[in-house]
Amino acid sequence: MRPTTEAPAPGGDDPALPARRPATGRAVLVLVLVAAAAVIPLLGPSAALDGTGEAAAPGVTGVALLRTVLFAALCVQAGELFAERLARRVPGAPSADGPRGWSAYAPWAGFLAALGLASIVANGNLVPHALSDLDIAGLYGTRDGTLALLEVNAFVVAALCARSRRPAAALAPLAAVVVAEALRAHPPAEHTAYLGSALTVVHLTCAALWVGGLLHVLRTLRRWRTTAPEAGAALLGLYARVAAVLLAAITATGVCSTLRRMPVGTVLDQLVTTAYGRTLLAKVILVAVVSVFALSARRRLRHGDLGAAYVPARAEVAALGVVVAVSAVLTALPLPIRWS
């Protein structure tokens, strides 16, 4: 009698996970997502401003693109540290068998984006066309310039920390980036500027952990698909519980920030008549879609089906990437008029 050969499971080595795409298919998917993330900041400002009568600030497209890269770099490194901390709390997790980290590269992308944004500030918030346009010394004399330099230096320190024996030390410079972004978004002349900055700090921190954390958790699940599938399910469940708290904080701070800039009586009107409002509405819709994916993944995970939960979780992280790009566009648009 000939020995029978069993067909491989659809998920590769582990039937708990969905079938793995061919390398070409995965590469195409990555290129599509990267292209989508690039197109939104490139075309988003002009689409949002169309028909509103508002004037776009010079270089708004470049600012949106650079801030997309900056936010993405922040999410990747902060989320990776967050997910690794969660993984260490999972009993029986093969901590030495995690995916290859991206923290060694992400902060350099953030550094280049921050450097580009600093060059715009050094040219009076205009896109420079030559090195002679830059007033580097002038950066030290303005609030925006100081914050821009802080972000540049913070990403350099974060990159060095990622290569050190204590990569978690990168949380300090990453926190500096978050604070700098919050202060930049709320100049002193703004009403209750420090309250707005505090809301932004919480909002941006929770968003970075949510987006980057899910990305690294999913990469970890793929790595553990054969060595520790039970630990992978436990990790996704642990992340899901923390992510629910993060989403609640993001929602609360987002609502408060919106009402600060668009009072209750004008919200509905400004959501459709201003570029800021239109982009904010698009972001809200996207977050609602992300929440549906998240709930679907959590529900399937509670039923013990890790493979089924993995599919909406991947859709969730892809949609979150689009949310990051839309958020970057939001920072480059003119603020709505606060009607009394």
Side-chain angles (χ1 to χ4, degrees):
M1 179 181 292
R2 294 182 179 179
T4 58
T5 302
E6 294 184 359
D13 297 314
D14 182 12
L17 292 179
R20 302 179 68 184
R21 288 186 178 86
T24 303
R26 290 198 300 271
V28 170
L29 177 60
V30 170
L31 289 175
V32 169
L33 292 176
V34 170
V39 166
I40 289 175
L42 288 175
L43 303 181
S46 58
L49 288 162
D50 184 45
T52 64
E54 298 172 294
V60 63
T61 299
V63 170
L65 182 59
L66 289 171
R67 194 152 281 123
T68 297
V69 176
L70 187 148
F71 285 166
L74 177 65
C75 290
V76 168
Q77 189 168 16
E80 186 171 304
L81 293 171
F82 168 59
E84 288 177 348
R85 184 177 180 85
L86 291 180
R88 288 194 293 269
R89 296 175 56 186
V90 175
S95 56
D97 188 31
R100 183 177 181 180
W102 291 350
S103 289
Y105 313 103
W108 290 116
F111 163 75
L112 293 175
L115 192 63
L117 291 168
S119 69
I120 293 175
V121 176
N123 192 36
N125 290 323
L126 300 174
V127 176
H129 298 287
L131 290 177
S132 58
D133 295 337
L134 303 180
D135 180 15
I136 304 299
L139 288 174
Y140 295 92
T142 65
R143 182 176 184 270
D144 286 348
T146 301
L147 293 175
L149 288 174
L150 174 60
E151 293 187 6
V152 171
N153 293 324
F155 273 117
V156 172
V157 175
L160 296 177
C161 290
R163 292 288 189 179
S164 70
R165 294 182 178 180
R166 300 185 62 184
L171 289 175
L174 293 178
V177 172
V178 171
V179 172
E181 276 296 305
L183 292 174
R184 178 204 56 79
H186 301 277
E190 181 182 295
H191 179 64
T192 61
Y194 287 115
L195 174 60
S197 295
L199 291 171
T200 301
V201 165
V202 177
H203 191 84
L204 186 53
T205 300
C206 293
L209 296 180
W210 184 20
V211 178
L214 179 58
L215 175 63
H216 194 72
V217 165
L218 292 181
R219 294 182 63 227
T220 303
L221 290 185
R222 297 298 294 182
R223 183 73 176 181
W224 291 355
R225 67 185 184 277
T226 56
T227 57
E230 297 83 3
L235 175 60
L236 185 57
L238 178 59
Y239 167 82
R241 292 191 292 274
V242 178
V245 178
L246 295 176
L247 177 58
I250 290 170
T251 302
T253 53
V255 170
C256 291
S257 295
T258 298
L259 294 180
R260 285 186 67 257
R261 286 179 166 165
M262 293 187 288
V264 178
T266 68
V267 169
L268 295 180
D269 189 27
Q270 294 201 58
L271 282 177
V272 294
T273 60
T274 66
Y276 187 93
R278 290 175 177 179
T279 308
L280 180 61
L281 180 59
K283 179 180 176 180
V284 170
I285 294 173
L286 283 169
V287 171
V289 172
V290 168
S291 300
V292 171
F293 287 137
L295 289 174
S296 176
R298 278 52 165 184
R299 183 171 59 252
R300 297 180 185 187
L301 186 62
R302 282 198 300 269
H303 293 160
D305 192 346
L306 178 59
Y310 188 83
V311 176
R314 284 194 306 181
E316 178 186 351
V317 77
L320 283 172
V322 180
V323 172
V324 170
V326 172
S327 299
V329 172
L330 199 62
T331 67
L333 293 172
L335 295 177
I337 299 174
R338 183 180 172 87
W339 299 337
S340 57

